[in-house]
Amino acid sequence: MILKVYNYKNALDFINKSLIDDFCSHLKSIDEESTLKEIKLSIRDLCEKKGFINRYQLFYGTRMQIFSYSDEMSLAVCNQTGHFGLSYYDLCKLESLYIRKLINAAIYICPTKQSKYVKSNATTTDKLLEDLTYFDKIFNIPIYFIGVE
């Protein structure tokens, strides 16, 4: 798989470079014939191997979850392949963790606009980054975007 990466608000200052390399190597090694579900499960498995808590509950008594979270690394991971509106929900959840000082940064994995996985109104790194130029005062969390083609 071909990857396009973006370092929003200097996320690399807060994320171990070897972890980024592990994520990128893992994503590049995924069979291009894999389904979105298989890719998501593969990313979840990698997060678990790296010590993340998968499906981390954001608030006690709610069903709000983040894809993966590491207290030790002060880092969250999101993987979004659905409707673009869900990406704003993810950003709000990440910003909440950031404001509460539970994370210092995040890794956000989603398709690029050139990806074969993109459907109408799907989340893409291209659209997210374009919109974040308008909302950069609202979303302050440093995010390392990994776009998958």
Side-chain angles (χ1 to χ4, degrees):
M1 294 195 158
I2 298 170
L3 306 180
K4 290 188 177 179
V5 297
Y6 309 90
N7 186 20
Y8 178 73
K9 298 213 175 188
N10 301 310
L12 283 178
D13 292 348
F14 306 97
I15 304 171
N16 185 315
K17 177 76 168 93
S18 66
L19 182 66
I20 293 292
D21 292 343
D22 289 345
F23 270 92
C24 289
S25 294
H26 182 79
L27 289 166
K28 286 178 183 177
S29 73
I30 294 173
D31 183 354
E32 292 192 17
E33 299 305 314
S34 297
T35 65
L36 285 175
K37 184 176 181 177
E38 290 168 336
I39 294 169
K40 182 175 255 183
L41 290 173
S42 178
I43 295 168
R44 200 177 298 276
D45 287 346
L46 176 64
C47 288
E48 192 172 306
K49 287 177 188 165
K50 295 293 177 184
F52 285 79
I53 300 167
N54 287 325
R55 297 183 183 106
Y56 178 77
Q57 185 178 3
L58 269 69
F59 302 101
Y60 179 77
T62 72
R63 294 179 53 167
M64 269 189 258
Q65 299 176 344
I66 203 78
F67 187 80
S68 287
Y69 166 77
S70 171
D71 180 47
E72 182 181 321
M73 292 182 252
S74 298
L75 185 67
V77 175
C78 281
N79 177 35
Q80 186 57 257
T81 57
H83 188 276
F84 189 75
L86 295 173
S87 62
Y88 283 106
Y89 186 43
D90 286 338
L91 291 173
C92 288
K93 292 186 286 186
L94 291 172
E95 189 69 20
S96 171
L97 290 169
Y98 182 68
I99 289 168
R100 292 166 32 212
K101 303 198 183 309
L102 295 172
I103 60 174
N104 294 325
I107 297 172
Y108 201 106
I109 303 166
C110 65
T112 65
K113 67 181 177 184
Q114 293 84 15
S115 173
K116 71 176 186 173
Y117 297 107
V118 172
K119 297 179 181 123
S120 175
N121 296 318
T123 299
T124 66
T125 50
D126 311 84
K127 179 74 171 133
L128 272 169
L129 289 165
E130 178 186 330
D131 285 2
L132 282 172
T133 62
Y134 302 108
F135 298 116
D136 67 325
K137 302 266 189 277
I138 296 169
F139 297 109
N140 295 300
I141 179 169
I143 304 171
Y144 193 79
F145 288 94
I146 303 175
V148 179
E149 262 185 41

